[in-house]
Amino acid sequence: MTAKTIPFSKMNGCGNDFIVIDNREQIMDGFELSTFVKNICSRGTSLGADGFMMLESSDLADFKMRYFNADGSEGEMCGNGARCLSRFAYLAGAVKDTMTFETLAGVYQAEIFDNKQTVKVKFPDVLLDELKLHQPYPPGGPAVNYHYGFVGVPHTVWFVEELAKIDDQQIIQWGKQVRYNEQLFPQGTNVNFIEVIGRQTLQIRTYERGVEAETYACGSGSTAAAIIAGIMEVVDPDLPVYLQTRGGLLTISYELAGGVARDIFMEGNAKLVATGELLPDSWM
């Protein structure tokens, strides 16, 4: 027996938007989640979103983050989503302004600042020898070389010129080409296009796996790009790196020492834009 209505919140981090539900009382029991998520995230026919998240109880941390892509697949985690769910948990009274949360990619930490809209998330350390830099790519791709790393989820990073002038359809074409290159990326990958704007500033556009489209921002992609740019000495890793996304600004800070990227923090907004109830027509 499934619920007749489901309380929800609509949130976004730098324009990356999510439908969020408090599932600590298992109100989603009885739903086939993959189909449910695919239906409610469909723009035009339902509420629409880049992803769906549930706040759940955890034995390992203050709460558990369950994240689903718009196509109904469950993801390891989502950087912008993590900020939004952290603020959601705070507003729900589940946590104080500092917290830990469990994901399929490990346990993360988050802190909410005085204005209650800015959230900083700490990522687990990244081993530099697990990153693959300067990898050759066949002709016809976004660039001659790409860089690969797993930062919560898999990411490729491509340095390009005049990123803002690249046609949206070209971004999608390249994104699909790389994301579905099963020989190189059997599990798929997110595709991040980067332009160096200044010594500590990068512009970024991302084709997201699971959304299967360009999104306004990708938090974990921005984090991967900032770390790779630091290793390549494009930016100074001892200073904050500013990522200009299509939906706003993300600030990434970290340290490189002993073959590890550590003390990795991603900071940005987490906006609560609506609350209400999902009706059966939204998922049926």
Side-chain angles (χ1 to χ4, degrees), residues 2-50:
T2 56
K4 292 182 179 179
T5 63
I6 302 171
F8 80 95
S9 292
K10 187 72 182 291
M11 304 187 72
N12 80 79
C14 288
N16 200 188
D17 63 334
F18 309 97
I19 298 167
V20 188
I21 288 174
D22 186 344
N23 195 41
R24 288 176 294 169
E25 301 297 327
Q26 292 85 46
I27 65 172
M28 296 305 295
D29 284 1
F31 284 90
E32 202 290 304
L33 286 175
S34 179
T35 300
F36 173 86
V37 170
K38 188 174 181 179
N39 287 343
I40 64 168
C41 287
S42 177
R43 301 187 190 276
T45 58
S46 189
L47 188 59
D50 291 331

Side-chain angles (χ1 to χ4, degrees), residues 150-270:
F150 190 94
V151 181
V153 291
H155 286 282
T156 57
V157 173
W158 307 75
F159 286 90
V160 299
E161 296 181 357
E162 297 187 314
L163 179 57
K165 295 182 180 180
I166 298 177
D167 182 81
D168 292 355
Q169 290 304 312
Q170 182 67 78
I171 293 289
I172 292 173
Q173 179 182 329
W174 279 339
K176 287 183 176 180
Q177 177 192 136
V178 175
R179 183 261 190 267
Y180 288 105
N181 188 325
E182 295 182 355
Q183 182 176 358
L184 293 176
F185 314 109
Q187 304 303 316
T189 182
N190 296 281
V191 189
N192 303 278
F193 304 96
I194 309 298
E195 182 181 2
V196 180
I197 302 299
R199 180 55 187 168
Q200 293 303 119
T201 304
L202 306 173
Q203 188 174 19
I204 181 169
R205 295 174 66 179
T206 301
Y207 179 95
E208 285 201 49
R209 179 190 68 165
V211 182
E212 307 310 333
E214 180 181 4
T215 58
Y216 278 97
C218 178
S220 57
S222 294
T223 304
I227 292 172
I228 288 170
I231 297 169
M232 296 173 62
E233 300 183 346
V234 173
V235 300
D236 185 344
D238 295 325
L239 298 173
V241 184
Y242 302 99
L243 277 292
Q244 296 177 353
T245 76
R246 299 191 86 175
L249 186 69
L250 290 172
T251 303
I252 313 297
S253 60
Y254 59 94
E255 295 181 359
L256 296 180
V260 178
R262 65 188 184 191
D263 293 330
I264 305 168
F265 291 94
M266 174 196 60
E267 181 178 337
N269 65 20

Side-chain angles (χ1 to χ4, degrees), residues 104-147:
L104 292 178
V107 175
Y108 289 68
Q109 301 173 29
E111 180 179 359
I112 297 177
F113 292 95
D114 290 340
N115 65 7
K116 307 306 181 189
Q117 189 190 99
T118 300
V119 182
K120 179 186 284 189
V121 172
K122 183 179 182 182
F123 281 67
D125 294 350
V126 173
L127 299 177
L128 302 190
D129 62 7
E130 293 183 356
L131 302 176
K132 299 177 181 179
L133 305 184
H134 306 290
Q135 300 297 301
Y137 195 80
V144 175
N145 294 311
Y146 69 91
H147 316 279

